[in-house]
Amino acid sequence: MPVVDNIVDKLAEILGISSEILEKKIERTVKIMNYRGINYAVIREDLGGYREGTTVFLEEEKIVHGYPSIRRLAFLESVPMHMIDEIIVEEKLNGYNVRVVDADKKVLAITRGGYVCPYTTARIEKMYGDRIKEALSEYEDVVLTGEVIGTENPYVAYEYPEADGFDYFVFDVMKNGELTPLSFRDEIVGKYGLKLVPVLARIGKNELGRLREIVDELDKRGREGIVIKDPMHRVPPLKYTTIYINIKDIEEGMKYPFDEGRSYLFTRIIRLICQVYEYSLGNKELDNIALRLGRAILKPAVESLRERSMGRLVAATYRLVFPSEDDLRDYLEFLEELGVDAVVKIIGAGERGVEVELMKLKDTHGYYSKILETGYSPLD
Ligand code: ATP
Ligand code: MG
């Protein structure tokens, strides 16, 4: 494994910041990682003008900037305030953000946080490796940005018929940390047979009726929402999610009240408040949402408490398929390096690779155990 001497100096030089400043912050802000002999630094919080989630490949001296955060709209009616003239309405897919780059002649998949994920890398390499390699050698310094969706991943398992377990849909192309015009993205995706996130409409920013129709249609289909973009990215994009997913997130999160449950509840309720207000929903519709919301809060939480009382683990379970045993080994090392509390069970090996069940233990497990043992409520 190649050792990088003087990591602080090297990183400071690549980032163009002073070694003294970096030295003070490195412990907290930077994590040095290695994937198959490639050393890289993960910027864990904004540092010297670099976004959280930026990855720096140390040997190649390559910076892969973090994907910018997208502002959430409270009201669809506010779109004209923030956009210029024409807008592109894209579907917002409910998976996880993955930047794909080439480093050291390998195709690598980087998560939102800036880590090369060995699992995602292996799956994308197997599906699109050759095409992506060609694309990235024609278009230098380009970073593909997209969403991995489907049920076979260790982050956001959500069923999409078009994903067949695992797939990658490009939604942006970045260059030097900037989002590029959508026509450039379409050109690359088209030329190399990659998949593009669904583009739902190209309309004027004042066509609010049409926008509302699109959101209602997605809501009926149980889809997450939309991202609204300027065709040239002259102004930052906006996101907006459906009532369906706002409630569904609570239902998922409340399987673990002391983990996701806690943070999901308030954010999603605020979204719903704005929706009931903007859509001027009447009492009947309000009752319907209130019942769904109430169930989403209580049912999964009680179910997992019942499970715990019967001695079962409160853990999130994921089904993964590793193309090879090496990929599995790399992923297990990765989990260990990040200190993730997980149990891995090998289900079997077949044509598609090694099938694995991954269980991530939740804090709720401990809280529930304590409640059941002591009879005390953990909160007043
Ligand atoms: P943040 O609020 O920082 O953007 P988050 O993790 O809370 O991050 P989300 O609420 O899921 O993110 O919304 C932003 C994310 O939506 C993007 O980072 C991207 O992964 C995902 N996404 C899905 N579809 C699209 C799309 N068509 N265009 C852009 N992003 C998309
Ligand atoms: Mg998301």
Side-chain angles (χ1 to χ4, degrees), residues 67 93 95-100 110 143-149 168-173 195 197:
Y67 185 75
L93 295 175
Y96 60 106
N97 184 308
V98 172
R99 283 164 287 151
V100 174
I110 303 174
V143 176
L144 302 177
T145 315
E147 198 84 346
V148 166
I149 58 169
Y168 182 59
F169 290 78
V170 175
F171 53 67
D172 269 309
V173 162
K195 287 185 182 148
V197 91

Side-chain angles (χ1 to χ4, degrees), residues 69-70 90-93 97 112 147 171 229 239:
S69 204
I70 301 179
E90 292 174 7
E91 181 167 356
K92 184 178 195 298
L93 295 175
N97 184 308
R112 191 74 196 276
E147 198 84 346
F171 53 67
K229 294 176 182 169
K239 63 187 180 194

Side-chain angles (χ1 to χ4, degrees), residues 90-95 123 127-128 147-152 158-170 194-200 218 221-225 352:
E90 292 174 7
E91 181 167 356
K92 184 178 195 298
L93 295 175
N94 186 22
R123 294 290 308 253
M127 286 181 93
Y128 298 114
E147 198 84 346
V148 166
I149 58 169
T151 50
E152 291 170 3
Y158 193 76
E159 168 65 27
Y160 275 98
E162 63 268 51
D164 191 23
F166 183 106
D167 213 335
Y168 182 59
F169 290 78
V170 175
L194 302 173
K195 287 185 182 148
L196 185 66
V197 91
V199 177
L200 305 173
L218 291 171
R221 291 171 52 213
R223 311 279 287 205
E224 185 185 17
R352 301 171 61 222

Side-chain angles (χ1 to χ4, degrees), residues 249-250 252-269 297 301 363-364 367-368 371 378-380:
D249 279 356
I250 290 179
E252 281 301 307
M254 286 302 288
K255 287 178 186 166
Y256 323 110
F258 294 95
D259 300 88
E260 287 87 339
R262 228 187 250 272
S263 52
Y264 278 19
L265 261 180
F266 193 58
T267 49
R268 271 65 176 178
I269 287 173
I297 295 171
D363 288 349
T364 298
Y367 278 96
Y368 273 180
I371 295 174
L379 302 173
D380 196 15

Side-chain angles (χ1 to χ4, degrees), residues 20-71:
E20 289 72 46
I21 293 182
L22 185 61
E23 181 87 63
K24 279 195 210 114
K25 298 196 169 172
I26 198 160
E27 184 94 36
R28 217 190 53 214
T29 349
V30 179
K31 187 158 171 74
I32 304 297
M33 299 285 293
N34 181 286
Y35 173 73
R36 297 201 172 168
I38 301 171
N39 290 297
Y40 65 96
V42 180
I43 311 294
R44 295 194 290 181
E45 49 187 76
D46 294 5
L47 170 76
Y50 293 93
R51 279 190 286 268
E52 175 187 346
T54 296
T55 305
V56 184
F57 292 97
L58 296 168
E59 285 92 3
E60 205 160 311
E61 305 194 356
K62 180 183 181 119
I63 302 173
V64 182
H65 295 263
Y67 185 75
S69 204
I70 301 179
R71 283 306 293 265

